[in-house]
Amino acid sequence: MIIYDYDITLSDATVLLALVTAVSVFFTAKAASHTKRLADHNKELVEQSERHHMDDERPIIVIDSDINLELYENRSVIRIPREDEAYYSQMIKNNYAIFIIKASLKNIGRGTALSPKMVIRFENTSTKEIEADFPPLASGASLPLGAIDFCTTTFDSAFLDQDNKFKTNEYQLAPGQPWEIFIGYHDIYGNAFYSRHPKNPQERWTSLGKGTIPPGKSKEESARELELITMSSQSYSGRPYD
């Protein structure tokens, strides 16, 4: 039998140890990478499951009526009290005013709607908004509206006079102006949603959005728009005939 005698020097041992360490580091890093990918995948599955669950529990509040609100003549759902109605004498109370909504709020979603709020925005401007709050609305539940106390959203509202009281003429003319009805609400997870119903018959009656109710035009934007319209009108009226 032949016996080979190998002399392993300190230098060889160092190289061998370095190789073993490098291999160990490589496999450790690979295992860690695999573990991270697995953890990320599991996290994504959990988040996806939570999103699906939230979507399943999403509330959807719309304005419901027996009439077909897709038709123009049926979109006049906002009016003010008549003289023969009991609450006619209390139409205006400082920055509050009664508007009659001839419909109901209905939650057609699968989850409970928390903190429902209706905002009616006239002429697409933030200075002509009124709002009213409602109790939580369970899935499938309906809330008849009728005479509702609406308040202005700011004290620099175009609806208010110098004494912060609703202007009578603005109040009487409001239902005939262009308007949009927004209904904002939250689900049980705190996510915000809104529904929108426009008076304009050329738009869909119901559209849905995520997040808070989008803002209307500011006072400055409205003033600038009016200025541009005035300038354009004056320029056109002064143009000689061809």
Side-chain angles (χ1 to χ4, degrees):
M1 181 176 63
I2 300 175
I3 299 176
Y4 294 94
D5 185 16
Y6 292 99
D7 292 329
I8 300 177
T9 65
L10 181 60
S11 177
D12 294 335
T14 302
V15 172
L16 182 61
L17 180 60
L19 288 173
V20 172
T21 302
V23 171
S24 176
V25 169
F26 171 76
F27 281 106
T28 300
K30 189 172 183 180
S33 176
H34 176 72
T35 302
K36 185 178 184 302
R37 286 199 302 271
L38 184 61
D40 289 344
H41 179 65
N42 289 337
K43 181 181 178 182
E44 184 179 346
L45 289 177
V46 170
E47 291 176 348
Q48 188 177 36
S49 176
E50 288 178 347
R51 285 195 298 269
H52 286 318
H53 184 66
M54 287 182 182
D55 289 341
D56 288 341
E57 294 295 319
R58 175 179 173 176
I60 301 174
I61 298 182
V62 297
I63 290 182
D64 183 50
S65 177
D66 293 335
I67 59 178
N68 183 1
L69 292 172
E70 293 291 344
L71 302 177
Y72 172 72
E73 59 268 23
N74 293 335
R75 288 196 177 184
S76 300
V77 297
I78 303 174
R79 70 174 178 86
I80 60 176
R82 300 187 302 266
E83 291 186 22
D84 61 340
E85 293 176 309
Y87 30 77
Y88 177 79
S89 61
Q90 298 180 332
M91 292 187 301
I92 296 176
K93 293 167 285 186
N94 294 326
N95 67 313
Y96 281 81
I98 292 177
F99 286 85
I100 297 175
I101 310 298
K102 299 178 290 183
S104 299
L105 290 183
K106 186 172 184 179
N107 184 357
I108 61 173
R110 296 183 179 180
T112 299
L114 302 178
S115 305
K117 176 177 69 173
M118 178 183 291
V119 173
I120 305 178
R121 179 178 298 150
F122 297 90
E123 298 182 341
N124 194 29
T125 174
S126 60
T127 61
K128 300 190 77 171
E129 290 181 348
I130 54 176
E131 68 178 18
D133 296 324
F134 300 93
L137 204 59
S139 174
S142 183
L143 178 67
L145 294 174
I148 305 293
D149 269 340
F150 284 91
C151 68
T152 54
T153 56
T154 61
F155 279 104
D156 65 346
S157 171
F159 281 127
L160 301 181
D161 60 20
Q162 59 184 5
D163 297 321
N164 290 328
K165 187 174 181 179
F166 239 97
K167 299 176 183 176
T168 303
N169 61 324
E170 288 282 1
Y171 170 69
Q172 294 172 339
L173 294 173
Q177 298 174 357
W179 50 252
E180 299 170 290
I181 300 175
F182 292 92
I183 309 164
Y185 44 94
H186 293 79
D187 64 11
I188 59 175
Y189 304 101
N191 299 307
F193 304 94
Y194 67 88
S195 307
R196 173 179 175 267
H197 300 285
K199 183 180 182 180
N200 186 351
Q202 296 180 351
E203 299 181 59
R204 291 180 56 186
W205 171 244
T206 303
S207 59
L208 306 175
K210 289 186 176 182
T212 56
I213 296 172
K217 292 181 293 187
S218 66
K219 183 183 295 186
E220 293 74 21
E221 289 173 324
S222 299
R224 179 58 181 165
E225 186 176 275
L226 179 61
E227 181 183 353
L228 291 174
I229 292 174
T230 303
M231 290 174 59
S232 176
S233 176
Q234 290 175 345
S235 174
Y236 180 81
S237 62
R239 190 182 65 186
Y241 292 105
D242 296 331

